[in-house]
């Protein structure tokens, strides 16, 4: 199980790193836009992202 957690964290870092490496101005604009969004909306988006991630992991594990 620990191997899966390390793999998942590594993949997140790769995706985030690609954003900053390939489009730093886009990353900056996204951060500025996120600062103007109400906390409740950000929280709801975070919960949605977690749910989508859990579904993707479940689907990936059941297929492969």
């Amino acid at each position: 199980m620990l191997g899966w957690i390390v793999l998942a964290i590594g993949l997140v870092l790769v995706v985030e790193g690609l954003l900053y490496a390939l489009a730093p101005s886009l990353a900056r604009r996204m951060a500025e836009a996120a600062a103007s969004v109400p906390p409740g909306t950000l929280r709801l988006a975070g919960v949605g992202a977690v749910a989508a991630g859990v579904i993707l992991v479940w689907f990936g594990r059941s297929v492969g």
Side-chain angles (χ1 to χ4, degrees), residues 7-34:
L7 176 66
I9 292 171
L11 288 172
V12 167
L13 290 173
V14 166
V15 171
E16 293 234 358
L18 281 173
L19 173 66
Y20 289 110
L22 298 177
S25 60
L26 175 63
R28 184 181 308 268
R29 283 184 284 154
M30 287 173 56
E32 290 169 354

